[in-house]
Amino acid sequence: MKTVCLVGRPNTGKSSLFNRLIHQRKAIISDMPGVTRDRLYGHVEYNNKVFTLIDTGGIDLETADFNDNIKMQAEIGIEEADIILFVVDGREDLTLNDIEINKMLMKTNKRIILVINKLDDPTLDDKLLNFYELGIEEMINISVEHRRNINELLELITKNMEEYTTPPKSHVCRFSVIGRPNVGKSSLVNAILGEENRQIVSNVAGTTRDSNDTEFVYDHEKYIVVDTAGMRKKGKIYENIEKYSLLRSLQAIEESDVCVVVINAEEGIIEHDKHIVEYALEAHKAIVLVVNKWDLIDNKDQAVKEWNKLIEKEFQFIPYIQVVYLSAMTKSRIHTLMPAIIKAYDSYTKSIQTSIINDVIRDAAALHEAPSYRNRRLKIYFVRQTDTCPPKFQFNVNDKGLVHFSYYRYLENKIRESIDLIGTPIILQFKNKNEDGYDEE
């Protein structure tokens, strides 16, 4: 999957463009509150082509901290990107910031598209001439606010991209250990690989920059752990700004079956932890939540009860999540982790018999009918599982427009009550009779 990065000085409309583009994605996303604020990463889907979009924040050379914070933002975005969208304000003349940013980008030898924003009216298109001196071959006039030329921009971005296809299913469970800095990710990986009943098979450099895929055997089965902690090698500048640490985890998430999200028991759950969980959810991955540094917690029995309540509150829209309390440093309770990962993977790859899922939904509909809307009510004719990783179910209905969000949740909950799907998300899709892919019972 290609990565596209938005770069530019403040107030050129980068964040607005970011929000506009990620909203093009048609997949069902989590409605977890408090997670999508200040997003800097998302997926964009356009005409069967998918890419990762990163917003790096505004670059202002006049601020005193340019050489650390702002330069770090630009360097990370540029390094991660295959394509750079250089966003400028079409209503203003070129500024010193624009010129210096352009010099920085030209050194990358990467594909650069100059996006000239805020040109709401075609009569303003002559403003494009003001930007020729930047020497960028690919240019486009847009207006994010008025949605002008947004599809044309997407066409330009994706013109050489291949159509997205679902990666082939692997028979080996891949799990990534992700989380913000200093929560014990590296120690946890070492603890996983260090137990006596495990045998390391090989260490192979992964496609993620500075990550390592380690294949090992546990209970006579092969597994691959993706360690993102190696990304620390890039230097202190990558450790100072916490929110950019999640850039290290993005590719690891995409390539994993299960995401092991590590949080620090001493610090509790912070917003950044929820961001990382949200990215795993958007990628439709199974999740195991590890509360690490448990050895530092007093009165553990009472602490478990308090933590369970906290997790239920902070992650209320993923009640299926598995939680493991352990200490990577002392290896206390480390033996509980692999069974949780295996359980999540089994749920993630599970296939359900058609007769069973139809019985579950038939009973659910009999117990609680869908709410009526304008004297019409949702009718479910037939259900079947169409995919795994994660399990995906297609509902053949009279009118999918009658599917209320609350009833979607009700059906999902009823499936989970009857079928053990702990640790994995599931996807419900609804199709009308006249749609392609509709199945008769």
Side-chain angles (χ1 to χ4, degrees):
M1 187 184 300
K2 297 290 187 182
T3 299
V4 178
C5 179
L6 292 162
V7 177
R9 60 181 173 85
N11 300 319
T12 59
K14 287 187 292 77
S15 294
S16 297
L17 178 58
F18 175 84
N19 290 331
R20 180 75 70 199
L21 293 180
I22 65 171
H23 287 163
Q24 297 288 331
R25 191 180 185 194
K26 295 179 175 62
I28 297 172
I29 61 172
S30 169
D31 51 1
M32 185 185 301
V35 174
T36 56
R37 295 196 304 267
D38 301 323
R39 298 272 310 271
L40 63 100
Y41 157 84
H43 284 128
V44 180
E45 181 178 337
Y46 180 74
N47 285 349
N48 295 322
K49 297 178 180 180
V50 180
F51 60 88
T52 299
L53 185 66
I54 300 173
D55 184 4
T56 58
I59 300 175
D60 187 353
L61 300 181
E62 296 179 359
T63 59
D65 60 353
F66 171 75
N67 286 329
D68 40 49
N69 185 2
I70 304 301
K71 186 175 181 181
M72 180 274 298
Q73 293 182 29
E75 285 179 347
I76 292 177
I78 291 168
E79 182 177 344
E80 297 292 327
D82 300 292
I83 302 170
I84 299 168
L85 301 185
F86 180 15
V87 184
V88 296
D89 187 339
R91 290 183 174 269
E92 298 181 5
D93 292 332
L94 280 173
T95 68
L96 177 62
N97 278 339
D98 294 325
I99 294 170
E100 291 301 317
I101 293 168
N102 186 60
K103 289 179 181 178
M104 182 167 54
L105 297 181
M106 286 298 183
K107 296 176 182 178
T108 66
N109 294 320
K110 295 190 176 185
R111 183 185 173 202
I112 303 171
I113 300 174
L114 182 65
V115 180
I116 307 171
N117 190 25
K118 303 186 182 181
L119 297 183
D120 309 335
D121 192 295
T123 59
L124 299 173
D125 283 351
D126 287 345
K127 295 277 189 178
L128 182 144
L129 300 174
N130 298 337
F131 299 92
Y132 277 134
E133 67 178 88
L134 294 176
I136 299 175
E137 294 184 3
E138 295 183 280
M139 308 168 67
I140 185 169
N141 296 346
I142 72 164
S143 171
V144 176
E145 183 178 356
H146 292 79
R147 303 188 180 187
R148 181 177 178 235
N149 288 343
I150 298 299
N151 285 342
E152 288 77 4
L153 173 60
L154 286 165
E155 289 283 353
L156 185 60
I157 293 169
T158 61
K159 69 176 183 179
N160 295 321
M161 292 184 187
E162 296 180 357
E163 290 193 1
Y164 178 78
T165 56
T166 303
K169 306 290 191 302
S170 171
H171 295 294
V172 178
C173 171
R174 293 175 61 93
F175 64 93
S176 56
V177 179
I178 60 177
R180 53 191 174 86
N182 302 317
V183 294
K185 298 189 298 295
S186 184
S187 297
L188 182 59
V189 172
N190 291 336
I192 292 170
L193 298 176
E195 281 205 69
E196 294 178 359
N197 61 339
R198 289 170 176 77
Q199 174 190 357
I200 299 175
V201 177
S202 64
N203 288 287
V204 182
T207 56
T208 307
R209 295 176 178 88
D210 293 325
S211 72
N212 289 305
D213 297 355
T214 303
E215 187 176 286
F216 66 98
V217 173
Y218 170 80
D219 198 18
H220 308 293
E221 295 287 341
K222 286 185 179 180
Y223 297 88
I224 297 174
V225 56
V226 182
D227 178 12
T228 60
M231 295 185 178
R232 289 182 170 275
K233 295 176 182 177
K234 292 184 178 179
K236 292 182 179 179
I237 195 169
Y238 289 85
E239 305 300 327
N240 291 337
I241 305 300
E242 188 174 80
K243 68 178 181 178
Y244 283 94
S245 66
L246 59 85
L247 286 176
R248 306 170 184 139
S249 305
L250 304 184
Q251 191 68 24
I253 289 172
E254 291 293 337
E255 296 175 352
S256 299
D257 300 304
V258 181
C259 293
V260 178
V261 182
V262 186
I263 58 180
N264 187 336
E266 284 189 296
E267 298 177 352
I269 299 170
I270 67 171
E271 201 70 13
H272 193 48
D273 295 320
K274 293 193 285 186
H275 276 281
I276 294 172
V277 170
E278 174 72 3
Y279 296 136
L281 284 173
E282 284 197 352
H284 301 307
K285 302 300 181 179
I287 301 173
V288 174
L289 187 66
V290 171
V291 182
N292 191 26
K293 304 187 181 182
W294 197 242
D295 56 306
L296 304 178
I297 301 300
D298 297 325
N299 193 1
K300 291 179 173 53
D301 290 340
Q302 180 63 29
V304 166
K305 295 178 183 179
E306 294 174 356
W307 265 93
N308 286 339
K309 290 181 181 178
L310 179 64
I311 289 169
E312 184 178 356
K313 175 185 175 184
E314 297 293 342
F315 300 110
Q316 57 183 297
F317 288 98
I318 46 172
Y320 56 82
I321 197 170
Q322 290 194 98
V323 184
V324 177
Y325 300 93
L326 55 76
S327 169
M329 189 62 66
T330 67
K331 296 189 178 180
S332 171
R333 296 181 53 81
I334 192 70
H335 65 279
T336 63
L337 178 56
M338 281 304 299
I341 293 171
I342 293 167
K343 183 69 174 176
Y345 179 72
D346 288 345
S347 298
Y348 185 68
T349 58
K350 182 172 289 187
S351 295
I352 312 300
Q353 291 183 13
T354 301
S355 60
I356 292 176
I357 189 65
N358 276 276
D359 286 344
V360 171
I361 298 304
R362 192 178 297 113
D363 290 346
L367 184 65
H368 177 48
E369 283 188 319
S372 62
Y373 177 71
R374 293 182 178 177
N375 295 321
R376 299 189 68 216
R377 193 183 302 273
L378 177 73
K379 293 182 180 179
I380 301 172
Y381 301 120
F382 186 66
V383 186
R384 71 182 182 100
Q385 184 174 356
T386 57
D387 205 355
T388 60
C389 303
K392 183 184 295 183
F393 302 97
Q394 178 182 302
F395 288 65
N396 296 339
V397 300
N398 59 330
D399 184 356
K400 65 182 181 182
L402 297 172
V403 182
H404 190 271
F405 169 76
S406 62
Y407 202 69
Y408 180 105
R409 285 296 188 199
Y410 169 74
L411 293 174
E412 178 181 348
N413 290 337
K414 285 300 179 183
I415 292 173
R416 292 187 181 278
E417 286 178 12
S418 302
I419 302 168
D420 188 359
L421 291 167
I422 189 169
T424 185
I426 62 175
I427 300 173
L428 312 186
Q429 294 182 321
F430 297 84
K431 285 186 176 292
N432 298 337
K433 276 189 173 182
N434 58 349
E435 281 191 85
D436 292 338
Y438 181 90
D439 295 301
E440 296 293 344
E441 184 174 357

